[in-house]
Amino acid sequence: MSTMSRSQRARSRQMLEIARRYYLNDESMVSISDQLGVSRFKVARLLKEARETGLVRITLDTGGAEDADLAARLSEHLGLQAAIVVDAFGTIEEVRHRIGIAAGAHLQRTLKAGETLGLTWGRTLTHMIESLESLPNVQVLQLTGHVGSNLRESPIELARKASLIGGNNAKAIMAPLYVDNLQAAQALRDQPDIKEVFDLFDTVTTAIAAVGSFRPASDGGINSQFLPLLPPPLQERLLATGAIAEVCGLPFRSDGSLADPELTGHIFSISAEQLRRIPRVIAIASDPSKAEAILALWRADLISELVVDADLAETLLSLPAVAEVAPPR
């Protein structure tokens, strides 16, 4: 039952009329003021209130259309099984959102019942999971330990949501991605529930992996959620080894070699060897600054499919073809 007073209803009607004239009819504030007999200050105030109360919602078209020609060129350039390239623009987060939606659509088109789906973690993966409307009946495995305290982006939460959509159980790793004490890490690894998940890694048929880069993003921000998890001395050591890319908490140099192998003893994640054996590894990434990281992971033979934005695709195409550096999967 509405509790709005007559004066409030009158104010809302006036606010709506002003918003309609300003946003839909493209009338100026001066014109609206003259025609409705209210001050320009009140027009501006009511327009601001209309946005704050949700009476007016402004959305921007950040793209989302797939570029089949660019995708075919990228797929040939890198020798991939498949590539999805999305025309996306706006802020880095808006582009990331579009890539997540495109990855979700690609997964829904291609995943088959009876598969085992492996999920990593990351902001783009979060958008992907939230965009899914359906999945076939699949087993869902979490491929890395949990990260931070943000439940929405937790790999445990992503695996849980995917399992609800796919109608099957999810197996989660109830341990952090990084454990500083090596003995504690080994003790956790020997726990039956954690060991069970690790033993199932070889059953994964399709994996979705977010690409992390140790290079700054185009807006100057951090391109990896993994690096800040590590103690500062370890961060410095890792960068000193030449690490530029990360997937599943595994750092790689530009030539595709694993950087700082000792770190893997502290990481709760699928191994590079196991990841390499998965028939489909769909890497998702946005922003041109991740081009070098993608090439590093490609040289490590860890990527079979890509979902990227058009700017990143163009950057990859501008770099030398890598077919002679490593054989395609």
Side-chain angles (χ1 to χ4, degrees):
M1 179 174 161
S2 174
T3 58
M4 188 178 289
S5 67
R6 180 177 296 180
S7 62
Q8 288 173 323
R9 288 194 294 272
R11 181 179 180 83
S12 293
R13 280 194 291 269
Q14 186 180 45
M15 196 186 308
L16 184 61
E17 177 63 18
I18 288 173
R20 181 182 290 112
R21 286 171 177 265
Y22 185 77
Y23 291 109
L24 299 184
N25 299 346
D26 203 24
E27 297 181 30
S28 69
M29 291 189 193
V30 174
S31 174
I32 296 171
S33 173
D34 292 342
Q35 292 188 44
L36 299 185
V38 296
S39 72
R40 280 174 287 174
F41 299 105
K42 185 173 183 179
V43 170
R45 188 167 64 251
L46 289 177
L47 286 172
K48 182 174 183 292
E49 185 178 336
R51 293 194 301 273
E52 291 174 345
T53 59
L55 185 67
V56 169
R57 296 182 179 89
I58 299 175
T59 60
L60 300 175
D61 182 1
T62 56
E66 294 184 12
D67 189 325
D69 177 66
L70 196 53
R73 290 165 52 202
L74 180 62
S75 183
E76 181 180 2
H77 186 69
L78 297 181
L80 300 169
Q81 292 178 9
I84 303 295
V85 176
V86 180
D87 282 318
F89 27 84
T91 66
I92 285 181
E93 185 59 32
E94 287 167 338
V95 173
R96 188 179 289 135
H97 180 252
R98 286 295 183 184
I99 297 305
I101 292 174
H106 179 56
L107 189 64
Q108 288 178 148
R109 289 193 300 262
T110 58
L111 196 64
K112 294 179 172 56
E115 287 200 55
T116 297
L117 174 64
L119 296 176
T120 59
W121 61 289
R123 293 161 292 193
T124 310
L125 227 70
T126 299
H127 292 305
M128 185 199 79
I129 295 297
E130 291 176 346
S131 75
L132 293 175
E133 296 179 355
S134 64
L135 284 176
N137 194 359
V138 295
Q139 169 74 64
V140 180
L141 284 185
Q142 180 185 329
L143 299 183
T144 68
H146 65 77
V147 181
S149 58
N150 187 339
L151 182 61
R152 178 172 173 262
E153 295 178 0
S154 163
I156 297 175
E157 179 66 4
L158 298 185
R160 185 189 72 84
K161 287 181 177 179
S163 70
L164 292 175
I165 298 168
N168 208 328
N169 292 328
K171 298 289 186 180
I173 301 174
M174 297 300 182
L177 174 60
Y178 171 79
V179 175
D180 187 58
N181 185 286
L182 192 58
Q183 288 183 322
Q186 187 56 54
L188 276 174
R189 210 180 301 275
D190 291 337
Q191 292 296 310
D193 54 341
I194 295 176
K195 187 176 183 301
E196 178 189 14
V197 182
F198 274 60
D199 289 343
L200 288 171
F201 283 159
D202 285 330
T203 69
V204 176
T205 55
T206 296
I208 311 291
V211 175
S213 170
F214 298 158
R215 307 287 195 226
S218 59
D219 66 351
I222 297 174
N223 245 334
S224 170
Q225 291 180 286
F226 169 71
L227 195 60
L229 296 175
L230 306 177
L234 184 51
Q235 292 183 35
E236 294 173 7
R237 189 181 88 194
L238 196 58
L239 293 175
T241 67
I244 66 166
E246 170 267 321
V247 64
C248 300
L250 304 170
F252 292 87
R253 302 182 185 93
S254 61
D255 64 359
S257 61
L258 186 64
D260 201 345
E262 292 182 9
L263 177 63
T264 58
H266 299 264
I267 299 296
F268 281 75
S269 167
I270 189 171
S271 70
E273 292 76 14
Q274 289 172 313
L275 194 60
R276 198 170 286 123
R277 291 197 295 266
I278 296 175
R280 294 177 71 207
V281 177
I282 306 171
I284 57 179
S286 60
D287 197 66
S289 60
K290 287 193 174 179
E292 290 183 350
I294 289 175
L295 289 183
L297 298 179
W298 190 92
R299 290 177 181 129
D301 196 24
L302 298 176
I303 296 175
S304 56
E305 302 180 24
L306 264 180
V307 183
V308 296
D309 63 284
D311 286 341
L312 177 50
E314 292 281 9
T315 301
L316 287 166
L317 286 168
S318 72
L319 298 174
V322 293
E324 296 180 0
V325 178
R329 291 172 63 105

